[in-house]
Amino acid sequence: MSSLILAIDQGTTSSRALLFRPDTSIAALAQAEFPQHFPASGWVEHEPEDLWRTTIDTCREAMRRAGATARDIAAVGITNQRETTLVWDRSTGEAVHRAIVWQDRRSAGLCARLKAEGHEPLVTARTGLILDPYFSGTKIAWILDNVPGARARAEAGELAFGTVDSYLLWRLTGGRLHVTDATNASRTLLYDIHRGAWDDDLLGLLGVPASMLPEVRDSSGDFGTTDPDLFGAAIPIRGVAGDQQAATVGQACFRPGMVKSTYGTGCFALLNTGPQPVASQNKLLTTIAYQIGGVRTYALEGSIFVAGAAVQWLRDGLKVVGSAAETGDLAGRADPGQDVYLVPAFVGLGAPYWEPDARGALFGLTRATGPAELARAALESVCYQTADLLAAMRSDWPDGEGRATVLRVDGGMVASDWTMQRLADLLAAPVDRPEVKETTALGAAYLAGLSCGIYPEPEHFADHWRLERRFSPAMEASVRERRLAGWRKAVSCLVGR
C-alpha cells in the first residue's frame, strides 16, 4: 500500500523535496538552489524554468535516496514562496516574463497612486491586505502593461496568471488544471477573503482580466494527478498552501489563539483567530490560515523583513563572525551593563510599522562596545520585533485577552538556544521548539495526507506534535520592561513615534 507523502517546498532561493512517512518522520530530502536575478534596483526575478527544473530534479532525487517509486507515494503536497507572480501562455505553457518575486518593489509607484486615490480602505476591507508591492495583484498589472502585447493577449483569454503553486500544478498535471488554494489566493490583492471568491471590483481596479485567474480550492483536496511521464506513474496531488500557512499547519496551530513564528531571512508570525476574520487596527494582515472541507480558518499575520538577515549582515557585512552559529555564544559574553540596540530596517520596517523608507540604525554605542554586544543586539532585534507583533496581535484579538501565549517556533534561527531563551525572556511567554524542524514541508505533507487518509483529522494530528524543548521566561520583569522601553525609544527615532 502506498504510504509515503511527497512534499514539494518551492522557496525563494531553493527548491526542496521531502518524503514523509505515516509517522511524519522524514524518509529522504533533496535540495537545489537556483539563481536570483536583479535586473534593476529593487527588482527581483526568477527564471520560471529554474523553478520547474529544480522542483522536478529534487523530487526525483528524494525518491532515489528513499528507494521509492511513484507507486510508493500516496500523494503530493505543495508549499511555495507566496506572492511571487507568473503569467504564461495557455497553449504553450511558456511564461511571458520572468517570475516577479515577492521581494520585488517595481510596482511601488502604482501602489502609491492607488493609495493617493483613496482605494486602500476597499482593498483592505475585501482582502485583509494593504496596498504594497509585496502582493501579487500589482505585479500582474505591471506585466500586462510592460510586456508587449500581453494585455491584448490576456483580454483574449490566451494568458494565465498564477502564484508558484499554480504554475507548478499546471506543469505537473500537463496543463490540465489551472488551480490554486485559498491561502495563496488570499495573498493576491484580488480575492475577497470573506466571500471566498475573486473580486470584480479589485480586478477592475488593477485591470486584471478574470479569465487569467485560477480556480480556488480547499488547501486539502483534489488537485489532479502528476503526468505519468514525470515520475514513472501518476501520483495524486492532494494538498497546497503558501509557505507561512503551511508552517502554521505543520506546527499544528489548529486552535484559535495558537501562534507560530518562522525565523528565516525574515520572520512571519501567524495567530489563528478561528472561523472569523479579525480586522487589524495595528497594521497586521488578515489572511486565510487554511481551508479544509470548505471551511475557512483565518489568521492575523505580522511580517518582519529582517531576522536572520541581521546575522548575515554581521557575518558578511561587518565580518564580526565567521558563521551564523557563532552569534549565540558571542552574544552570551556581551557586557550586561551595555544597552545596545540594533533596529534592522535595512529594507524598511514591516509590521506593525510598515515604514518602507526607514533605514537601519545602532543605538547606545560606547567605546567598550565590541563584537559581543553587536551580536547580542542583532539577535535581540529579532526578539523585540516579535514582541511588537505579539503586542499588536493581543490588541487586535480581544478573544485572546487573559490567555497565556505559547509561541511555537521554526526556521533556521531557532537552532540557537541563546536566541530562543532571550525570545522567551523578552516576550514573558514560553517558546516551544518542535522535534520536527521541517514544519513548512510537514504542513504541505499533512494537507495531502489528510486528503488521502494517511494522516488523521486536525485535532488528532495535533496530538502527534512533539516538543523538543520549551524555553521558559527567566528575566526579571523590571529588566524586561527597561529593555523593551529602550527598544521602543530606538524605533521611535526612525518612525517618528
Side-chain angles (χ1 to χ4, degrees), residues 86-90 140 144 150-162 170 178-179 190 198-200 203-204 207-215:
L86 296 104
V87 175
W88 64 92
D89 187 297
R90 288 185 178 276
I140 306 170
L144 295 183
R151 181 164 295 282
R153 294 173 65 193
E155 290 173 351
E158 298 175 9
L159 300 183
F161 150 73
W170 176 277
H178 184 208
V179 293
L190 303 173
W198 299 114
D199 189 274
D200 289 338
L203 292 173
V208 176
S211 61
M212 297 181 69
L213 303 176
E215 176 190 344

Side-chain angles (χ1 to χ4, degrees), residues 411-475:
M413 290 191 76
V414 307
S416 168
D417 289 352
W418 189 92
T419 307
M420 293 302 99
Q421 182 58 54
R422 187 52 56 101
L423 181 62
D425 288 342
L426 291 173
L427 296 180
V431 171
D432 284 359
R433 186 170 65 192
E435 281 188 5
V436 178
K437 305 299 191 297
E438 300 288 349
T439 53
T440 302
L442 177 58
Y446 171 70
L447 292 168
L450 172 66
S451 179
C452 67
I454 297 295
Y455 295 131
E457 294 298 313
E459 59 270 21
H460 297 298
F461 177 72
D463 293 338
H464 294 283
W465 184 90
R466 293 184 294 275
L467 176 70
E468 184 265 326
R469 179 173 173 182
R470 167 167 285 187
F471 297 86
S472 298
M475 182 179 283

